[in-house]
Amino acid sequence: MGDRGGAGGSRRRRTGSRPSIQGGSGHAAAEEEVRDVGAGGDAPVRDTDKDGDVDVGSGHWDLRCHRLQDSLFSSDSGFSNYRGILNWCVVMLILSNARLFLENLIKYGILVDPIQVVSLFLKDPYSWPALCLVIGELVANIFAVAAFQVEKRLAVGALTEQAGLLLHGVNLATILCFPAAVAFLLESITPALAGKKANGGAAQRTVSYPDNLTYRDLYYFLFAPTLCYELNFPRSPRIRKRFLLRRLLEMLFLTQLQVGLIQQWMVPAIQNSMKPFKDMDYSRIVERLLKLAVPNHLIWLIFFYWLFHSCLNAVAELMQFGDREFYRDWWNSESITYFWQNWNIPVHKWCLRHFYKPMLRRGSSKWVARTGVFLASAFFHEYLVSIPLRMFRLWAFTGMMAQIPLAWIVGRFFRGNYGNAAVWLSLIIGQPVAVLMYVHDYYVLNYEAPTAGA
């Protein structure tokens, strides 16, 4: 009915638009109108306002409402704006974690107690190995001074290269053994299981070897947020007080937030995981693993920001250290290799400069060099976990070495967003597995074994 009316209206306009004998302009206007109407058999296209709505008052509109097009979810549509879906995911994530947090509060009450952490430090400081290491910084400082003196004698030719290499090797071996000796020889307290633009460049004088062999240069390197020594570090022109204050406030707030999340969320989940491990109830073990994955991953993300952004930037600002690239966009990693190359830049630069490239220069293949880097990283991961716990279970070592086949699998079978999802999945699930393994072994070694012996 509407189409007939439209057609009739078109015919009426055609018959009524006769050429005018009074001038050429009237004739041209009439022909233009006929062409517009007859092009599709309907009225001209409607005018739209700034919001894309039809302006009905314009007088002309098009009755056509279909055209050749794909659905938005089809790959051929070319549509890529899924911001609303991303916001939905964020809202769902917040709601799901809010439910878990509320369940935790209902079940355990408020467990956050900052005084407990302070009392842990003050309870028996003389029997705490880590505190002995802090107090013994003057002793540990001997190693830095020893390396400094060896280098000075090498510079003036008082020592041969072979003797200097031997002395440096002995010094490094002693550095590795000293924390282990302190941890194993001294009694430890019980762990808490029971309960904008860059700042610019500053003009600086360049230093050449051996003029750099001064205590000032030595201790600047020891305190600077880097593991790789250079004769002339990039320096910032001044200390930005507001920037430094923000980083210090972040350090204080995030430290307390991590402690609170561990007390409120991690400790109860770990304690409730002991019985399923003891009974070898695999379904309950998986359930506890997934329950532990969320708080563990959240704490790990907070720890990353706290350490690599807040702490290292605060130290760099105080030291006027110019290179602030402590991390890159590891969250966009589409492969395991890219993640390990970009999430911890100071360690990555050290491995690249002192391990990977020297192996390539000695004729090793890239695969062998990468394996060697992962092997060294696995050793230090296990060292940092096993020495404080005073037990060797090689879970951290195995987890790091498992990154080699995992990197091959992800690189071979996953691309783009699928690879990024695989990286995130390995981070979310892999870490709580190692945590549960060490907690279980520590519990068995320090609680069940003494009870069985008694």
Side-chain angles (χ1 to χ4, degrees):
M1 190 68 183
D3 289 342
R4 281 196 203 94
S10 299
R11 285 194 294 272
R12 283 192 293 271
R13 271 186 296 240
R14 286 195 187 94
T15 56
S17 300
R18 298 300 182 186
S20 175
I21 59 176
Q22 295 179 358
S25 61
H27 178 71
E31 286 183 347
E32 182 67 25
E33 183 179 355
V34 171
R35 279 197 301 270
D36 290 341
V37 174
D42 294 318
V45 178
R46 294 171 290 179
D47 295 333
T48 57
D49 58 16
K50 62 181 181 179
D51 296 326
D53 297 329
V54 176
D55 188 1
V56 179
S58 62
H60 304 292
W61 62 91
D62 188 0
L63 295 179
R64 291 174 297 175
C65 60
H66 298 289
R67 61 187 176 90
L68 185 64
Q69 56 185 334
D70 293 304
S71 299
L72 293 184
F73 287 144
S74 300
S75 58
D76 295 333
S77 68
F79 183 78
S80 60
N81 185 9
Y82 297 102
R83 181 171 55 87
I85 296 179
L86 177 61
N87 292 336
W88 169 78
C89 293
V90 172
V91 171
M92 292 296 295
L93 181 64
I94 293 174
L95 291 177
S96 61
N97 284 283
R99 184 197 66 81
L100 292 175
F101 189 72
L102 182 60
E103 179 187 6
N104 179 275
L105 285 178
I106 294 173
K107 188 174 182 180
Y108 302 109
I110 299 177
L111 302 177
V112 179
D113 185 9
I115 306 301
Q116 181 187 18
V117 180
V118 178
S119 63
L120 195 66
F121 283 86
L122 301 178
K123 182 179 179 181
D124 192 7
Y126 296 104
S127 65
W128 190 39
L131 186 59
C132 293
L133 289 176
V134 174
I135 297 174
E137 278 300 317
L138 291 177
V139 178
N141 189 54
I142 295 176
F143 303 126
V145 176
F148 175 75
Q149 293 296 334
V150 169
E151 194 63 33
K152 285 193 70 172
R153 280 156 179 75
L154 283 171
V156 298
L159 285 175
T160 63
E161 290 291 332
Q162 291 77 10
L165 180 62
L166 177 62
L167 291 175
H168 279 311
V170 172
N171 192 40
L172 289 174
T174 309
I175 292 174
L176 288 176
C177 295
F178 178 69
V182 172
F184 281 92
L185 295 179
L186 294 179
E187 292 295 327
S188 173
I189 62 175
T190 303
L193 275 177
K196 141 185 161 174
K197 295 181 181 179
N199 199 15
Q204 62 185 70
R205 64 183 186 88
T206 57
V207 180
S208 58
Y209 186 86
D211 296 335
N212 63 310
L213 297 178
T214 62
Y215 283 104
R216 177 187 178 88
D217 191 83
L218 170 67
Y219 284 102
Y220 182 86
F221 169 62
L222 291 179
F223 285 100
T226 181
L227 299 176
C228 296
Y229 178 78
E230 290 184 10
L231 289 174
N232 299 281
F233 290 107
R235 304 291 292 272
S236 55
R238 60 186 178 86
I239 296 177
R240 297 170 292 178
K241 296 181 177 60
R242 290 184 180 180
F243 179 87
L244 178 61
L245 180 61
R246 287 198 299 268
R247 301 290 83 80
L248 292 176
L249 291 177
E250 287 175 356
M251 291 169 59
L252 293 175
F253 172 74
L254 294 178
T255 298
Q256 186 56 52
L257 180 60
Q258 290 178 86
V259 172
L261 288 174
I262 291 172
Q263 291 177 321
Q264 184 69 43
W265 214 345
M266 286 280 288
V267 173
I270 291 175
Q271 287 176 334
N272 293 334
S273 302
M274 293 301 99
K275 190 176 187 305
F277 267 100
K278 185 178 179 179
D279 299 338
M280 286 294 125
D281 187 349
Y282 294 106
S283 60
R284 294 287 292 173
I285 290 175
V286 173
E287 185 266 337
R288 290 297 168 182
L289 172 65
L290 296 177
K291 192 171 185 178
L292 183 64
V294 174
N296 178 85
H297 187 64
L298 180 61
I299 292 170
W300 181 79
L301 290 175
I302 296 173
F303 172 78
F304 165 79
Y305 185 91
W306 173 82
L307 176 62
F308 289 96
H309 187 74
S310 301
C311 294
L312 294 186
N313 267 297
V315 175
E317 196 67 28
L318 284 172
M319 304 292 294
Q320 293 182 258
F321 186 77
D323 187 1
R324 307 296 175 88
E325 191 187 38
F326 305 121
Y327 55 90
R328 299 191 189 114
D329 62 332
W330 58 266
W331 47 87
N332 294 325
S333 301
E334 297 179 0
S335 66
I336 300 295
T337 304
Y338 186 88
F339 168 79
W340 287 110
Q341 291 174 347
N342 292 277
W343 95 278
N344 187 343
I345 295 301
V347 171
H348 172 68
K349 288 181 177 178
W350 184 88
C351 292
L352 196 66
R353 174 178 168 180
H354 297 287
F355 214 101
Y356 182 77
K357 289 183 177 179
M359 291 187 69
L360 292 182
R361 285 195 295 267
R362 291 177 178 270
S364 300
S365 65
K366 289 185 177 181
W367 188 88
V368 172
R370 291 196 191 102
T371 304
V373 170
F374 272 107
L375 188 65
S377 180
F379 166 77
F380 283 107
H381 274 77
E382 187 64 42
Y383 180 87
L384 292 175
V385 175
S386 294
I387 296 303
L389 295 179
R390 298 196 295 180
M391 66 177 191
F392 294 96
R393 291 297 184 272
L394 298 180
W395 295 118
F397 183 88
T398 304
M400 281 301 302
M401 294 308 296
Q403 299 297 305
I404 298 176
L406 181 62
W408 181 85
I409 293 173
V410 173
R412 178 69 174 80
F413 298 103
F414 298 94
R415 292 288 188 275
N417 290 333
Y418 296 104
N420 183 252
V423 173
W424 279 112
L425 187 63
S426 68
L427 293 174
I428 295 172
I429 300 299
Q431 292 177 0
V433 169
V435 170
L436 286 179
M437 293 296 101
Y438 277 107
V439 170
H440 170 263
D441 290 350
Y442 188 89
Y443 179 83
V444 170
L445 185 64
N446 292 276
Y447 291 93
E448 288 193 353
T451 304

